[in-house]
């Protein structure tokens, strides 16, 4: 399993961070390699990513399910690969201190099946970059 975490402090109240992060459509397009997403209901959406890895073009679809929604400080979600064998989870947390908010993004991904042994080292290499880029992009949008 690959895990990555990134925190950033934003000079705004926690409610401002929540207002942005609590709406998937606000930050979905900021995920690296994002192509599109379809909102199934309030908790579920299907995301499509497209990218190149070592000269190969790859399209990946996954289902994102919100499993916890605690205003104004915590969103937890689960991931399930639809085109590839992987599962995962993630969360955004927000903690206010002296008028500033520290937002943390955490992602865990586990590749399974026969391709898991090949994909796991790649995921471990890429996941920290994806997590920090996404968290930083969200912070810039909120400021």
């Amino acid at each position: 399993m690959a895990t990555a975490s990134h925190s950033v402090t934003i000079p705004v109240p926690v409610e401002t961070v929540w207002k942005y992060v609590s709406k998937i459509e606000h930050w979905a397009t900021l995920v690296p390699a994002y192509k599109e997403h379809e909102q199934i209901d309030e908790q579920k959406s299907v995301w499509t990513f497209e990218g190149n890895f070592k000269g190969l073009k790859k399209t990946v679809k996954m289902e994102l399910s919100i499993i916890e929604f605690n205003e104004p400080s915590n969103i937890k979600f689960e991931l399930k690969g639809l085109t590839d064998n992987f599962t995962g989870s993630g969360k955004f947390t927000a903690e206010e201190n002296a008028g500033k908010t520290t937002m943390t993004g955490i992602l865990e991904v586990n590749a399974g099946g026969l391709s898991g042994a090949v994909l796991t080292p790649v995921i471990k290499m890429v996941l920290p970059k994806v997590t920090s880029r996404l968290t930083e992009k969200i912070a810039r949008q909120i400021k």
Side-chain angles (χ1 to χ4, degrees), residues 111-122:
L114 294 175
S115 61
V118 174
L119 291 177
T120 299
V122 174

Side-chain angles (χ1 to χ4, degrees), residues 114-135:
L114 294 175
S115 61
V118 174
L119 291 177
T120 299
V122 174
I123 293 169
K124 284 183 177 182
M125 182 180 70
V126 171
L127 199 61
K129 284 184 202 172
V130 169
T131 304
S132 65
R133 284 184 185 162
L134 176 59
T135 307

Side-chain angles (χ1 to χ4, degrees), residues 12-67:
V12 298
V14 70
E15 292 81 15
T16 303
V17 172
W18 179 261
K19 188 176 178 181
Y20 188 86
V21 174
S22 65
K23 305 281 188 218
I24 289 175
E25 61 272 12
H26 286 169
W27 53 269
T29 60
L30 302 177
V31 179
Y34 171 88
K35 183 177 180 186
E36 63 187 11
H37 77 282
E38 175 189 358
Q39 197 69 38
I40 306 302
D41 58 35
E42 284 191 26
Q43 281 80 32
K44 285 190 181 188
S45 54
V46 173
W47 298 41
T48 303
F49 302 93
E50 197 170 82
N52 291 307
F53 181 72
K54 296 196 176 195
L56 297 172
K57 190 173 186 177
K58 177 80 173 152
T59 300
V60 175
K61 282 192 173 201
M62 70 170 198
E63 181 179 272
L64 183 143
S65 300
I66 304 287
I67 57 170

Side-chain angles (χ1 to χ4, degrees), residues 20 27 30 92 103 134-142:
Y20 188 86
W27 53 269
L30 302 177
F92 284 107
M103 181 182 72
L134 176 59
T135 307
E136 293 289 338
K137 284 181 179 180
I138 290 172
R140 282 194 295 277
Q141 292 294 317
I142 293 171

Side-chain angles (χ1 to χ4, degrees), residues 59-111:
T59 300
V60 175
K61 282 192 173 201
M62 70 170 198
E63 181 179 272
L64 183 143
S65 300
I66 304 287
I67 57 170
E68 203 172 298
F69 213 67
N70 297 317
E71 185 174 349
S73 62
N74 186 336
I75 297 173
K76 289 184 181 179
F77 52 90
E78 290 181 343
L79 310 172
K80 177 184 172 189
L82 300 176
T83 55
D84 294 88
N85 188 358
F86 69 89
T87 58
S89 62
K91 66 181 174 178
F92 284 107
T93 61
E95 188 175 312
E96 187 172 351
N97 187 8
K100 295 179 181 181
T101 301
T102 300
M103 181 182 72
T104 301
I106 300 168
L107 284 174
E108 294 181 355
V109 177
N110 186 33

